[in-house]
Amino acid sequence: MSLYKASANSTFSVKITLLSTTVLSLLIAHTTALAAMDDSIEKALKFGQADDAKYGQIKFNLRYRYENDDSKAPDKAVGNASTVRLRLGYLTPEFHSFQIFAEYEGNQDVGANTYNSLRNGHDTYETIADPQQHELNQFWLSYNGLPDTKIKLGRQHITLNNQRFIGDQDWRQMQRTFDALTITNKSLHNTTIHAGYITSVRDVTAEKIDMDSQFINAGYDFKRIGTLSAYTYLLDFNDRPTDNIKSSQTYGVRFNGGATINDDVSTIFTSEYAYQQDYANNPDDYEADYALLIAGLNAYGFIVKGAVEQLGGKGAGPAFQTPLASDHYFNGWSDQFTVIPVNGLRDTYGSIGTTVMGIDIEGIYHDFTDDTGKIDYGEEWDFMAVKTFGKHYSLLAKYAYYDDNGALTGLTDTHNFWLQAEVSF
């Protein structure tokens, strides 16, 4: 890239940042004024009903985001995306144990379109997977006429445990949803069972991917200690031949909990293990392991955690993969490892979070290697600040810096920056 182009990109990035800051300032003033009107708005969205929704309820979510993606990749220009995402839905009142929900979702560019959305053909820019698209995000029918059971059929979002294996990718502007039949049952004491059959996925680029997948996830709640979960995920990607390598069968167990020591101190503990191998039409013959260990303290207003997450790989064939995860929440916010390298991935990380003047702040450090710890994959620093106003308004600023440390991974130093404002009813 020439010096002129680099300078032009820097100037443009500054202009976009200034524009985004101005828009966010206006949104702050606007949402602060709206906060006093929450009761009136909530009542209006329930068609004038204050305490119930006998005529149904309108669901509304508006999110503005500015995102900057700047890496040292010589063939990619800096990505700048300024977008507004709207979700608008209607939930019917319950009628003979049946209920219907329909939701529109649309994402609109409100600035210069200088990023690769994976749908706009701008592949000379860095990828920011928030295309300008419009879709029927959810459309489902539910039935809860059986004891302790809810059945849902149609396009829906699905999140299980911490979304490491199945999640809705809600960080991106276009949500991942599933065409599925799901069943949630709570008949057994302290036990919740989720089971489902998925026929297709609508991904974050608003493209449909056919599949023939099943899952079951059962969790038992040990009161005041934590939840023990066991799961099976059978993923069969049968739409495009290039997706067949994502087909896998995964079996695992997870414990998430902690203990209260006193009014000011409690412990945090998570451990998980899973085994995965090829499934259905996957052309590869492989097997891999997954392990997670998190330990921490919530003490005197601070949350401190240390963790190791390992996704196995043998250097030949696929490593442990989680193609339906909400992967932005894992292995660093710069999204360097959405596909796990063939030698696997060990992510050793620590985090600290607290609240200052009503602002939630968090910092995370990641050290990445292969699953043996011998091959350096670089490191990352992540920082985030979130301010909420009442129940419905929030502002977010977020930064990620990935340093490849000269590692021979094909990855490059990357800076990511986000500003976001959201209103949700």
Side-chain angles (χ1 to χ4, degrees):
M1 183 183 296
S2 70
L3 180 61
Y4 171 77
K5 288 183 178 179
S7 176
N9 278 331
S10 298
T11 301
F12 179 74
S13 178
V14 169
K15 289 180 179 179
I16 288 295
T17 302
L18 290 173
L19 173 63
S20 303
T21 303
T22 301
V23 172
L24 281 170
S25 298
L26 293 173
L27 285 171
I28 291 172
H30 191 50
T31 54
T32 303
L34 282 178
M37 301 173 58
D38 281 356
D39 290 343
S40 297
I41 295 173
E42 291 174 0
K43 186 175 180 180
L45 294 178
K46 294 179 181 178
F47 301 96
Q49 305 301 302
D51 300 324
D52 57 36
K54 66 179 180 180
Y55 302 118
Q57 184 174 3
I58 294 174
K59 303 288 187 177
F60 172 85
N61 178 279
L62 183 68
R63 184 165 77 186
Y64 166 80
R65 178 186 291 159
Y66 165 70
E67 180 170 346
N68 172 269
D69 189 331
D70 183 5
S71 80
K72 289 185 178 179
D75 58 339
K76 299 293 184 182
V78 175
N80 289 283
S82 182
T83 58
V84 172
R85 192 277 313 282
L86 171 66
R87 288 187 194 144
L88 187 62
Y90 173 67
L91 178 66
T92 69
E94 191 173 301
F95 181 73
H96 293 289
S97 301
F98 287 96
Q99 203 165 24
I100 296 174
F101 181 63
E103 181 182 61
Y104 158 84
E105 180 178 58
N107 186 46
Q108 182 70 40
D109 290 323
V110 294
N113 191 2
T114 57
Y115 66 100
N116 177 15
S117 73
L118 300 178
R119 295 289 297 267
N120 59 8
H122 293 181
D123 55 6
T124 59
Y125 291 94
E126 295 287 358
T127 297
I128 298 173
D130 289 330
Q132 182 171 281
Q133 294 290 321
H134 306 270
E135 68 177 5
L136 180 65
N137 189 50
Q138 295 192 71
F139 185 51
W140 49 257
L141 169 70
S142 69
Y143 177 72
N144 63 359
L146 301 176
D148 301 312
T149 302
K150 185 170 186 176
I151 302 171
K152 187 182 290 186
L153 175 65
R155 183 167 298 170
Q156 56 192 281
H157 73 88
I158 302 173
T159 59
L160 298 173
N161 293 135
N162 63 340
Q163 304 188 45
R164 193 36 164 141
F165 292 95
I166 297 182
D168 59 10
Q169 276 280 51
D170 195 43
W171 168 251
R172 298 262 49 105
Q173 295 287 63
M174 302 295 287
Q175 186 181 49
R176 176 194 289 142
T177 52
F178 302 83
D179 293 325
L181 170 66
T182 59
I183 300 173
T184 301
N185 180 271
K186 298 182 179 181
S187 298
L188 300 178
H189 180 64
N190 290 345
T191 301
T192 301
I193 299 173
H194 301 282
Y197 173 67
I198 304 170
T199 61
S200 67
V201 174
R202 183 77 60 165
D203 71 10
V204 297
T205 64
E207 291 187 311
K208 182 183 177 183
I209 302 170
D210 290 333
M211 60 167 36
D212 183 8
S213 300
Q214 304 88 44
F215 68 84
I216 183 167
N217 182 301
Y220 182 84
D221 184 11
F222 293 91
K223 296 299 183 182
R224 297 181 297 278
I225 298 175
T227 300
L228 179 65
S229 303
Y231 52 80
T232 296
Y233 305 125
L234 306 177
L235 306 184
D236 179 2
F237 288 79
N238 54 23
D239 187 6
R240 298 172 295 208
T242 54
D243 286 332
N244 291 351
I245 59 172
K246 300 177 183 178
S247 297
S248 64
Q249 51 186 313
T250 304
Y251 310 91
V253 61
R254 170 186 174 87
F255 178 81
N256 182 59
T260 299
I261 297 175
N262 57 44
D263 291 343
D264 297 309
V265 181
S266 59
T267 64
I268 300 166
F269 181 76
T270 302
S271 63
E272 186 169 4
Y273 172 80
Y275 169 79
Q276 184 180 92
Q277 66 180 54
D278 56 283
Y279 181 67
N281 53 4
N282 192 323
D284 295 309
D285 182 9
Y286 81 99
E287 56 184 1
D289 298 294
Y290 171 87
L292 172 68
L293 181 63
I294 302 173
L297 283 175
N298 186 341
Y300 303 101
F302 288 86
I303 299 175
V304 180
K305 291 185 285 187
V308 178
E309 183 186 40
Q310 180 159 308
L311 299 96
K314 298 182 178 179
F320 196 104
Q321 302 291 339
T322 59
L324 296 182
S326 292
D327 47 32
H328 179 76
Y329 303 134
F330 304 95
N331 311 134
W333 296 335
S334 69
D335 294 334
Q336 301 296 317
F337 299 101
T338 55
V339 176
I340 305 302
V342 294
N343 289 306
L345 175 68
R346 180 183 295 173
D347 178 6
T348 304
Y349 62 96
S351 68
I352 183 169
T354 189
T355 301
V356 179
M357 298 177 63
I359 301 173
D360 297 326
I361 58 176
E362 182 179 18
I364 307 173
Y365 170 75
H366 295 265
D367 180 68
F368 302 113
T369 68
D370 74 324
D371 68 359
T372 68
K374 297 178 180 178
I375 303 175
D376 184 15
Y377 287 167
E379 56 189 352
E380 180 167 323
W381 291 263
D382 297 327
F383 303 95
M384 181 171 65
V386 180
K387 174 64 176 177
T388 58
F389 302 87
K391 296 183 294 183
H392 302 291
Y393 314 104
S394 67
L395 295 173
L396 173 148
K398 189 171 175 178
Y399 173 76
Y401 170 56
Y402 169 76
D403 183 353
D404 70 357
N405 283 346
L408 301 176
T409 60
L411 304 174
T412 60
D413 291 1
T414 302
H415 298 266
N416 297 87
F417 177 67
W418 301 267
L419 286 173
Q420 177 177 294
E422 187 167 8
V423 181
S424 182
F425 282 87

